[in-house]
Amino acid sequence: MNEINIQELKGQAKGLLLILLVIVGVVTAMGSFYTVGPDEQAVIIRLGRYLETNGSGLHFKLPLGLDKLYIVKTERVLQQEFGFRTEVSSYRGRTRYAANQFDDESLMLSGDLNVADVEWVVHYRIAGPFRYLFKTKEQEKNIRDVSESIMRRVVGDRSVTEVLTTGRVEIENEAKALIQEVLDRYEMGVLVGTVALQDVNPPDSVKASFNEVNEAKQEQEKLINQAERQYNTVIPEAKGKAQRKISEAEGYANALTNRAVGDAEKFQALLLEYRKAPVITKKRLYLETMEALFKRFKDVTIVDAQVKGLLPVFTKGGGASL
Amino acid sequence: MKGMMLVGALAVAAFVTFFSSFFVIREGQQAIITQFGLPVGTPYTRAGPYFKTPFIQEVRYVDKRILSWDGYPNQIPTKDKKYISVDTTARWKVVDALAFIKSVKSEFGAKSKLDAILDASTRNVISNHNLVEAVRNTNKIIDQFKAKQKEIKEKIAQGEDVIDEEVTGEIERIEVGREKLSELIAQSARKELIKFGIELIDVQLRRISYEKSVESKVYERMISERQRIAQKIRSIGQGEKEKIEGRISKDLKKIESEAYRKAQKIRGIGEARAFAIYARSLGQDQRFYEFLRSMEAYKNALGEEAKLLLSSDSEFLKFLK
């Protein structure tokens, strides 16, 4: 009896062993190769020691935990936000959180010892995966600490007006260079992309007075424009009037001259005629005038010197009176 | 049977012994071997597989990576009595694991040493310098300020009204600067920390801000400054407007009076010319002209309502007699 059992056990054990070996074989096989995507790099650590870094493709490694595989996305652009946060929520898209929650991050001193509220973003890539993984302990914290420190250093060298208005690009460039310098010193294996300033404002409680300055500037411009416009309406109008006055005077002068010339010419003609036959001409003109007058008058009285008293011989108006 | 069990036992023993003597140092780690609790030998700094004496010797791992330390934000008065909150952070690493283990035993132990030493060093350096030294790094803001002042002076000389939007007198020269200050803090701490096998890489002044009560005063200053500038802008605007209005009335008067003058002159010339023409032509026979003109005058002037009294001796009625 026992012998049969032992034989059975041996058989079962052998079978189990076989299955185990197959499983181990498969696991080993699967653990001896790996693929790396086009935006990735793989770091292989063999028995604790760094072996190699590999790019995209199919590669082999020792299985069973002898080789450890770390895959890093080296093409992905990562970002750190300062002074504000955005969240991407699946149904609402990006929402931006109130920046005054992050005043500690965003308020900083400018070179003229004023305060500015600066929000910015740092973009970076992991360019050296081995260094990123093994040279420093808190990678993101390093990036954040250095960014904050550097941004304050850069802003601290400038006046608040510069920070708010004209110096933005300079600040971004200087910050990027300095952050890279320090992260390289820590051997982070990080490549800094753009440093982009977002909202840069005076602190909330001071904002109103900064706006006041802008408003005052606009008011000033408006006043000046109004005055200029008034000038540009009144003066041309006056010039026009002035021109008209002069033209009128010229017209008057011309008319006067022309009339004089006309009168002179008429007189000249008559004079010529008169000189040819003076007595006749004079008489003719006289009679013509009288004729015209007589036609016109309603009340003509002819007085005879020899008749005493007023005896009109002829009245035009009808009815003689004695 | 017994044979198999013996083999099994030996195998297990071999296994256990092996795993008690084989150890791996991963990248970013270093290790010290301790025997009966006491460190022996030199630290292993290179990553890889190693062997040690089984059972009696232990491996103590120490982080080889660059570690960070955060200071608790401190209220520190500067040399010029400004109360500021200084938030520092530092980077350090263990360069001598043996000294490290012997002195502070662990990262946790190291933290309290770092706290004490860096806090003292920070306080010391900050309180020995003015606030500007911790804020600015260069004097370039002064150069820019000077350049701007020069520009403004030139514009004023040319008659333009410019507002000086820049500020106050807070622009003092710095001797040291923010970076050097950080380096000073690190320097004095470094000497102490190396005794514990710690290399201090750098200290960063992560944040410097006004203490709350000081902050509100600063804001008040900023506000009143801006208000002053706004007022100045407004009054300049008013002044400009009045200048232009003055120009309007002046130019207006000039145009009108000149036009009047010119017009009168033209009229005068015209009249003179007309007179000359009349004089020249009518002057040829004054009496004839008198006669002619009178005839015309009678024709034009005497209306129908006039009463005409004619003597029968009149020339006109000569032929009626």
Side-chain angles (χ1 to χ4, degrees):
Chain A
M1 241 347 217
N2 277 351
E3 266 201 28
I4 302 170
N5 282 348
I6 290 175
Q7 284 286 51
E8 270 184 34
L9 276 173
K10 270 200 178 157
Q12 281 180 351
K14 271 206 185 125
L16 229 64
L17 202 64
L18 210 65
I19 292 173
L20 231 78
L21 278 172
V22 169
I23 291 176
V24 166
V26 167
V27 165
T28 307
M30 279 175 54
S32 51
F33 69 94
Y34 60 95
T35 49
V36 180
D39 60 341
E40 298 171 329
Q41 282 184 31
V43 173
I44 300 292
I45 304 292
R46 175 169 295 172
L47 290 175
R49 185 179 300 166
Y50 168 73
L51 181 68
E52 61 189 9
T53 310
N54 280 320
S56 59
L58 180 71
H59 304 278
F60 293 99
K61 67 177 183 70
L62 295 182
L64 301 173
L66 291 170
D67 279 355
K68 244 198 158 139
L69 170 69
Y70 297 85
I71 296 210
V72 178
K73 291 207 180 294
T74 51
E75 294 304 312
R76 179 179 292 176
V77 175
L78 304 160
Q79 77 171 17
Q80 293 290 334
E81 297 170 328
F82 300 87
F84 70 104
R85 298 290 183 274
T86 53
E87 280 271 314
V88 187
S89 82
S90 51
Y91 63 97
R92 245 190 311 166
R94 297 197 98 101
T95 53
R96 196 173 195 280
Y97 281 109
N100 51 25
Q101 287 181 346
F102 301 100
D103 271 355
D104 281 348
E105 275 177 15
S106 61
L107 291 178
M108 54 187 79
L109 291 167
S110 61
D112 47 5
L113 299 183
N114 285 317
V115 180
D117 190 321
V118 183
E119 296 172 8
W120 75 102
V121 175
V122 176
H123 293 118
Y124 64 97
R125 275 196 307 121
I126 300 171
F130 172 68
R131 275 175 292 152
Y132 188 80
L133 292 169
F134 297 108
K135 285 292 179 185
T136 62
K137 184 173 173 186
E138 292 167 286
Q139 292 88 341
E140 278 188 18
K141 179 166 157 46
N142 288 343
I143 295 172
R144 287 197 68 85
D145 283 349
V146 170
S147 297
E148 281 206 48
S149 178
I150 292 295
M151 183 53 76
R152 278 169 173 77
R153 170 176 153 181
V154 172
V155 164
D157 247 349
R158 291 171 166 75
S159 70
V160 72
T161 334
E162 239 194 294
V163 173
L164 293 173
T165 55
T166 55
R168 286 176 67 120
V169 176
E170 249 188 64
I171 290 175
E172 289 173 347
N173 291 338
E174 198 181 327
K176 173 179 162 165
L178 289 173
I179 294 174
Q180 185 71 65
E181 201 184 293
V182 179
L183 293 181
D184 285 348
R185 204 191 313 153
Y186 300 165
E187 293 188 272
M188 290 274 307
V190 162
L191 191 64
V192 179
T194 39
V195 172
L197 290 176
Q198 309 289 303
D199 272 350
V200 179
N201 286 317
D204 275 341
S205 42
V206 173
K207 239 186 207 163
S209 60
F210 271 77
N211 284 339
E212 214 184 310
V213 170
N214 287 338
E215 279 170 18
K217 274 195 203 154
Q218 283 179 4
E219 259 180 55
Q220 175 201 36
E221 268 188 54
K222 204 171 79 173
L223 274 181
I224 292 180
N225 282 345
Q226 269 179 2
E228 292 271 345
R229 241 179 314 142
Q230 206 196 7
Y231 183 90
N232 287 334
T233 336
V234 170
I235 295 300
E237 206 183 301
K239 279 191 181 157
K241 276 203 191 127
Q243 195 52 44
R244 206 179 57 205
K245 269 215 181 98
I246 292 177
S247 300
E248 276 175 8
E250 286 172 349
Y252 169 79
N254 277 344
L256 221 56
T257 315
N258 287 342
R259 202 149 71 106
V261 169
D263 284 352
E265 284 174 354
K266 179 163 140 203
F267 181 74
Q268 197 66 20
L270 284 174
L271 189 64
L272 241 70
E273 216 189 291
Y274 171 72
R275 283 203 175 137
K276 289 185 202 151
V279 181
I280 292 293
T281 310
K282 220 171 176 176
K283 279 246 163 76
R284 179 172 66 79
L285 288 169
Y286 174 74
L287 289 171
E288 275 174 3
T289 308
M290 294 310 284
E291 182 182 359
L293 285 177
F294 261 21
K295 268 203 244 181
R296 193 185 301 164
F297 293 144
K298 288 198 218 154
D299 191 341
V300 183
T301 314
I302 300 183
V303 177
D304 194 284
Q306 286 158 3
V307 175
K308 302 291 179 228
L310 236 104
L311 251 96
V313 172
F314 168 70
T315 38
K316 203 165 160 202
S321 60
L322 271 168
Chain B
M1 241 6 269
K2 263 211 180 144
M4 270 193 68
M5 279 182 64
L6 197 62
V7 169
L10 276 174
V12 169
F15 237 54
V16 170
T17 309
F18 175 76
F19 279 111
S20 175
S21 60
F22 175 75
F23 66 98
V24 164
I25 298 184
R26 292 201 307 269
E27 289 288 354
Q29 282 183 328
Q30 52 195 334
I32 271 277
I33 305 292
T34 61
Q35 188 164 292
F36 303 121
L38 291 172
V40 292
T42 53
Y44 290 77
T45 52
R46 193 153 178 244
Y50 294 95
F51 288 97
K52 63 173 174 71
T53 317
F55 309 116
I56 10 176
Q57 285 185 338
E58 294 281 315
V59 188
R60 286 284 303 279
Y61 291 101
V62 174
D63 211 324
K64 203 174 86 172
R65 297 175 297 181
I66 293 180
L67 307 167
S68 50
W69 168 87
D70 271 346
Y72 191 74
N74 268 321
Q75 305 291 348
I76 306 178
T78 60
K79 187 164 165 198
D80 48 351
K81 301 289 180 289
K82 307 236 169 91
Y83 273 82
I84 50 172
S85 171
V86 183
D87 183 353
T88 50
T89 182
R91 297 291 170 296
W92 59 283
K93 62 182 184 181
V94 177
V95 288
D96 183 351
L98 187 60
F100 187 74
I101 296 269
K102 275 191 178 154
S103 54
V104 294
K105 313 258 186 320
S106 69
E107 257 177 68
F108 186 74
K111 180 163 185 340
S112 54
K113 280 282 185 281
L114 286 162
D115 281 345
I117 293 174
L118 285 170
D119 186 58
S121 181
T122 305
R123 260 180 202 284
N124 193 24
V125 171
I126 294 287
S127 56
N128 275 323
H129 292 89
N130 289 337
L131 173 58
V132 258
E133 301 282 4
V135 172
R136 282 200 278 128
N137 208 38
T138 63
N139 281 315
K140 119 178 132 180
I141 191 180
I142 296 185
D143 299 331
Q144 283 181 345
F145 183 62
K146 283 202 182 124
K148 198 117 197 259
Q149 291 294 88
K150 198 167 137 209
E151 206 184 298
I152 289 178
K153 279 208 177 87
E154 282 174 5
K155 281 200 177 155
I156 290 184
Q158 287 178 14
E160 279 185 51
D161 257 316
V162 222
I163 314 293
D164 182 0
E165 261 186 65
E166 298 297 334
V167 152
T168 84
E170 303 254 17
I171 321 248
E172 48 181 287
R173 284 203 89 82
I174 56 163
E175 307 293 317
V176 185
R178 194 194 184 101
E179 284 308 294
K180 285 224 190 78
L181 231 61
S182 315
E183 188 43 38
L184 283 175
I185 298 175
Q187 254 175 36
S188 76
R190 222 170 256 142
K191 285 178 289 205
E192 299 261 341
L193 290 169
I194 198 67
K195 294 185 215 154
F196 308 116
I198 293 175
E199 178 189 316
L200 182 64
I201 297 175
D202 69 6
V203 172
Q204 294 284 339
L205 296 172
R206 183 173 42 199
R207 288 181 198 159
I208 296 207
S209 52
Y210 285 114
E211 200 242 309
K212 279 296 163 197
S213 66
V214 177
E215 193 173 69
S216 57
K217 284 214 191 83
V218 174
Y219 287 170
E220 275 172 34
R221 170 175 57 82
M222 286 175 79
I223 291 176
S224 61
E225 232 164 50
R226 292 295 125 183
Q227 284 177 339
R228 179 181 62 83
I229 292 175
Q231 193 48 45
K232 199 163 166 196
I233 292 178
R234 277 196 211 104
S235 57
I236 287 186
Q238 193 62 33
E240 282 296 310
K241 171 175 163 223
E242 280 166 14
K243 254 197 226 169
I244 295 177
E245 285 178 347
R247 226 183 341 134
I248 290 180
S249 76
K250 183 176 109 178
D251 285 359
L252 208 61
K253 283 209 177 74
K254 185 164 146 208
I255 291 173
E256 285 174 354
S257 61
E258 269 197 27
Y260 178 78
R261 184 177 60 83
K262 280 202 189 120
Q264 290 301 91
K265 186 166 163 192
I266 292 174
R267 276 174 203 260
I269 291 177
E271 283 171 1
R273 211 176 284 149
F275 284 169
I277 294 174
Y278 278 126
R280 237 204 334 254
S281 92
L282 306 180
Q284 292 172 80
D285 195 326
Q286 267 181 292
R287 286 186 59 181
F288 179 57
Y289 175 68
E290 235 179 274
F291 170 73
L292 216 57
R293 193 64 186 83
S294 307
M295 291 295 115
E296 222 181 293
Y298 297 151
K299 255 197 269 189
N300 290 337
L302 299 175
E304 59 182 31
E305 292 305 321
K307 290 197 169 126
L308 182 64
L309 212 62
L310 262 182
S311 163
S312 53
D313 286 333
S314 119
E315 184 63 44
F316 189 55
L317 299 172
K318 183 166 83 176
F319 295 110
L320 286 178
K321 269 194 148 160

